[in-house]
Amino acid sequence: QLIDLPGTQDYSSFVAYSCQALELEVYSKIFKEFHEFIHRGYEGDKKKLCEYDENKISNNRTKENIDQLDKFFHNYILNEKIKIKYTLGGMIHIIKYLPIDGAEITQEYEELESLQLLNEFVTERMGEFDVDLRNKIFDFVKIRNKAAHPGEITAQEANQFWESYKDLVNEFMEKL
């Protein structure tokens, strides 16, 4: 329980450091292991994982999303010499394309074998990535973004965050 001390108005660093711990868990348990699998155990064509038919993409937003995936996710798949660096927000940006709890499949997922393989990898390791867990992580990204600005997080918000954080980390760890 954090104490709301007189003169102390900012608990942003508490939230930011806690989010770093969650970021490390998501990275090490999903993305690091996925890329290790790609570079050491995947026998298919890595280029094919990242290719798509541009003629099937009529939506500019979808094209922009795929271009964004090309810049980091696909770059890490294609070049194992590049040091892999993800932020929690970057990883969530990729996770949001995975089909969760029967949600509508995104065009990005339909077109990219890289996302389909990531989904298979996550499903084998964690079971299905359920919408509740995904939404909790999305919420943490929002809180983390707010915490990037000093003076934005009160003691009450930090305490609420801490309770939710413990639940999320426990749920995430149980799945792995």
Side-chain angles (χ1 to χ4, degrees):
Q1 183 78 5
L2 293 172
I3 300 170
D4 195 1
L5 299 172
T8 304
Q9 299 173 6
D10 184 23
Y11 293 85
S12 299
S13 60
F14 171 76
V15 171
Y17 287 121
S18 299
C19 283
Q20 282 182 330
L22 180 62
E23 179 178 82
L24 181 60
E25 285 302 312
V26 173
Y27 170 72
S28 63
K29 301 293 195 282
I30 296 175
F31 288 89
K32 182 177 185 253
E33 289 188 21
F34 175 74
H35 287 292
E36 286 175 357
F37 162 72
I38 290 293
H39 295 301
R40 290 175 187 59
Y42 181 69
E43 295 178 3
D45 182 356
K46 292 178 196 170
K47 278 184 142 181
K48 190 172 183 222
L49 288 174
C50 306
E51 294 174 347
Y52 63 98
D53 184 352
E54 287 189 38
N55 295 323
K56 291 184 178 180
I57 309 291
S58 58
N59 182 323
N60 284 339
R61 183 70 179 147
T62 301
K63 174 73 171 114
E64 290 170 10
N65 291 341
I66 292 173
D67 287 346
Q68 221 24 49
L69 289 168
D70 285 344
K71 289 179 185 171
F72 57 101
F73 184 57
H74 290 157
N75 204 17
Y76 297 150
I77 288 172
L78 296 172
N79 188 348
E80 68 182 282
K81 294 182 193 273
I82 294 176
K83 183 175 180 179
I84 297 172
K85 297 178 190 176
Y86 281 110
T87 63
L88 186 58
M91 292 181 287
I92 293 305
H93 181 73
I94 296 166
I95 289 171
K96 76 180 180 184
Y97 299 118
L98 304 182
I100 295 175
D101 283 350
E104 185 177 327
I105 292 176
T106 65
Q107 189 172 17
E108 294 86 352
Y109 180 82
E110 259 180 31
E111 292 299 321
L112 294 170
E113 288 184 32
S114 60
L115 293 174
Q116 295 166 24
L117 185 62
L118 177 63
N119 187 57
E120 288 175 28
F121 184 83
V122 169
T123 301
E124 286 176 14
R125 299 223 354 103
M126 299 177 60
E128 221 172 22
F129 208 107
D130 63 75
V131 71
D132 185 49
L133 179 60
R134 183 185 72 172
N135 288 342
K136 285 178 184 177
I137 295 173
F138 283 3
D139 289 343
F140 276 86
V141 170
K142 289 176 190 169
I143 293 169
R144 187 219 43 205
N145 291 345
K146 184 178 179 183
H149 306 285
E152 295 288 323
I153 305 291
T154 65
Q156 180 181 359
E157 289 172 314
N159 279 317
Q160 290 170 342
F161 164 82
W162 183 243
E163 291 306 313
S164 298
Y165 174 81
K166 290 187 292 188
D167 291 341
L168 174 62
V169 169
N170 287 333
E171 186 177 343
F172 190 76
M173 297 303 278
E174 285 173 12
K175 288 194 168 280
L176 297 172

